[in-house]
Amino acid sequence: METAKKDIRALTKEQLREFFVNNGDQAFRGNQVYEWLWNKAAYTFEDMTNISKETRQMLEENFVINHIKVDQMQRSNDGTIKNAVRLHDGLIVESVLIPTAKRTTACVSSQVGCSLDCKFCATARLKRMRNLNPDEIFDQVVAIDRESRLYFDRPLSNIVFMGMGEPLMNYNNVLKAIDKITSPEGLGMSPKRIVVSTSGVPKMIKKMADDEVKFGLAVSLHSAIDEVRTSIMPFNATFPLKDLREALEYWYSKTKNTITYEYVVWDGINDTKNDADALIQFCKFAPSKVNLIEYNPIDDGEFQQANSQALDMYISMLEKNNITVTVRRSRGKDIDAACGQLANKS
Ligand code: SF4
């Protein structure tokens, strides 16, 4: 039965080599197949053209390649592309291609739904169904790279883990996927072009530092005042800012990598001078920069972007304190592909 077969991409290179030796072939055949799977991102065994027909048949009899399928692709007026991605068990996640003049960025999902309950986020309403496997994360990147080459005539240049789910709650699989994306035997992308964005899980930030990861770290901060942050990101009651601060200081001491704070300014929630002051103090704990992100209201409209005076106040206060600040316009709003909007609505 098809479903009883193992996904070949769950095997390490060593296990693939062993498989071939145990089946009367040579170990290097495992290397060839591994290259097809992770470097050439083969969809089927048929694609493996330098492998003999008999061997491909033998692989077919023993394994499957549970490749994702892009069920629906939507294109925004601004060029952004949103993929609704069907997984082998029928569940769906979303990933987004964001083109700018010089870059193509993939925003990928790490979980189906999310176990955290950020009040401003559409994904939070889906609840967490399961973690994505490393290959399911890898496949989202490959699909977007192919779209980037097709529609923009250039390869994918950057990846952000900012789609559905909290990547640090699926840490091992995210790391395995990044390994395949960055290793020369995989896609060979530089880890410097990858950013993992977390809502801030202190223990896991410390673990990343201990693991000496080479990719960047962004934290969805949104408030540096516990009371306010807990009201919009309830898990902050469990992981308060002092724990987050300690973890980020640890991260910087080990990696010397600047931290990016993602920050939305909402009307009536975090739009006062007091809020901006707290952010500035928080930024001083470890070298950091701030991305002020434009917000896209989700259905009930409870959260609304603050007015431009509030944004200008933040910008001028941050600049006066020599903290780099960038205003990030949201992309793909018309197809619900913008930050916080991913909710499998298509
Ligand atoms: S913002 Fe991120 S961590 Fe928070 S609920 Fe949405 S997907 Fe989960």
Side-chain angles (χ1 to χ4, degrees):
M1 214 169 76
E2 186 85 348
T3 49
K5 293 183 205 167
K6 191 170 177 150
D7 188 337
I8 192 166
R9 290 188 296 176
L11 268 57
T12 62
K13 190 163 150 192
E14 215 30 65
Q15 287 169 326
L16 266 178
R17 287 166 59 86
E18 267 171 39
F19 170 81
F20 281 104
V21 172
N22 293 340
N23 283 277
D25 205 332
Q26 297 181 56
F28 87 91
R29 195 79 60 217
N31 300 12
Q32 285 180 313
V33 171
Y34 190 88
E35 191 184 346
W36 274 109
L37 293 173
W38 297 111
N39 180 261
K40 297 179 181 150
Y43 267 61
T44 65
F45 297 116
E46 273 306 291
D47 292 340
M48 303 180 179
T49 46
N50 65 351
I51 309 283
S52 73
K53 199 161 176 228
E54 295 70 41
T55 306
R56 279 184 271 151
Q57 237 159 24
M58 193 257 286
L59 288 171
E60 196 86 54
E61 280 156 22
N62 285 278
F63 299 108
V64 285
I65 305 176
N66 280 331
H67 215 286
I68 62 161
K69 288 188 184 65
V70 177
D71 245 18
Q72 193 188 17
M73 191 195 93
Q74 290 175 278
R75 290 191 78 176
S76 159
N77 298 331
D78 65 18
T80 302
I81 293 175
K82 180 170 80 170
N83 290 332
V85 165
R86 185 172 294 275
L87 309 173
H88 70 95
D89 55 4
L91 292 172
I92 292 191
V93 292
E94 292 177 336
S95 42
V96 183
L97 177 161
I98 307 153
T100 59
K102 293 191 187 138
R103 296 175 168 193
T104 303
T105 301
C107 173
V108 297
S109 294
S110 54
Q111 297 182 307
V112 187
C114 187
S115 55
L116 300 184
D117 50 359
C118 304
K119 300 297 178 203
F120 49 82
C121 174
T123 306
R125 298 176 185 183
L126 297 175
K127 304 299 173 206
R128 191 192 80 89
M129 282 172 260
R130 71 170 173 86
N131 287 337
L132 294 192
N133 297 325
D135 50 279
E136 292 168 330
I137 297 169
F138 177 89
D139 285 353
Q140 291 176 69
V141 171
V142 170
I144 289 180
D145 180 49
R146 285 177 180 164
E147 288 168 347
S148 182
R149 289 169 197 269
L150 184 63
Y151 298 110
F152 301 95
D153 217 10
R154 62 191 185 200
L156 174 68
S157 58
N158 295 73
I159 301 170
V160 291
F161 281 78
M162 228 189 223
M164 294 173 150
E166 164 52 63
L168 299 194
M169 297 285 202
N170 184 18
Y171 182 73
N172 289 340
N173 288 353
V174 165
L175 241 63
K176 281 183 194 163
I178 291 177
D179 180 55
K180 298 285 190 278
I181 292 163
T182 56
S183 85
E185 290 184 313
L187 303 181
M189 273 183 81
S190 164
K192 293 195 174 0
R193 293 182 170 273
I194 300 175
V195 172
V196 169
S197 176
T198 173
S199 51
V201 187
K203 193 172 101 184
M204 300 313 294
I205 291 172
K206 285 184 178 169
K207 172 139 181 59
M208 281 203 302
D210 287 336
D211 288 345
E212 298 179 357
V213 300
K214 300 283 182 283
F215 49 80
L217 171 66
V219 176
S220 294
L221 190 61
H222 306 310
S223 176
I225 299 173
D226 268 319
E227 198 186 352
V228 178
R229 194 164 194 261
T230 301
S231 74
I232 54 177
M233 302 171 85
F235 69 88
N236 186 72
T238 317
F239 307 123
L241 287 162
K242 81 169 174 27
D243 295 355
L244 179 57
R245 168 192 163 175
E246 193 205 319
L248 293 170
E249 285 171 332
Y250 186 75
W251 160 270
Y252 184 75
S253 73
K254 298 276 280 194
T255 67
K256 297 287 177 260
N257 276 344
T258 303
I259 301 147
T260 301
Y261 295 124
E262 311 287 359
Y263 201 100
V264 178
V265 187
W266 286 287
D267 188 33
I269 292 175
N270 57 353
D271 56 355
T272 68
K273 183 171 176 303
N274 200 25
D275 293 293
D277 268 333
L279 172 61
I280 287 160
Q281 291 317 311
F282 201 84
C283 286
K284 290 180 178 166
F285 297 137
S288 51
K289 56 182 184 169
V290 174
N291 282 345
L292 289 179
I293 302 176
E294 188 187 0
Y295 182 66
N296 305 283
I298 50 178
D299 294 343
D300 53 23
E302 189 193 338
F303 287 82
Q304 293 294 336
Q305 163 97 28
N307 60 32
S308 56
Q309 287 98 310
L311 272 188
D312 290 345
M313 173 196 66
Y314 263 93
I315 294 166
S316 88
M317 286 175 66
L318 286 162
E319 284 176 345
K320 264 187 214 144
N321 283 275
N322 299 318
I323 298 161
T324 305
V325 53
T326 311
V327 178
R328 291 245 182 265
R329 275 190 49 240
S330 259
R331 307 286 305 271
K333 281 191 264 192
D334 53 327
I335 54 168
D336 287 334
C339 279
Q341 285 189 318
L342 299 185
N344 291 346
K345 279 204 286 188
S346 51

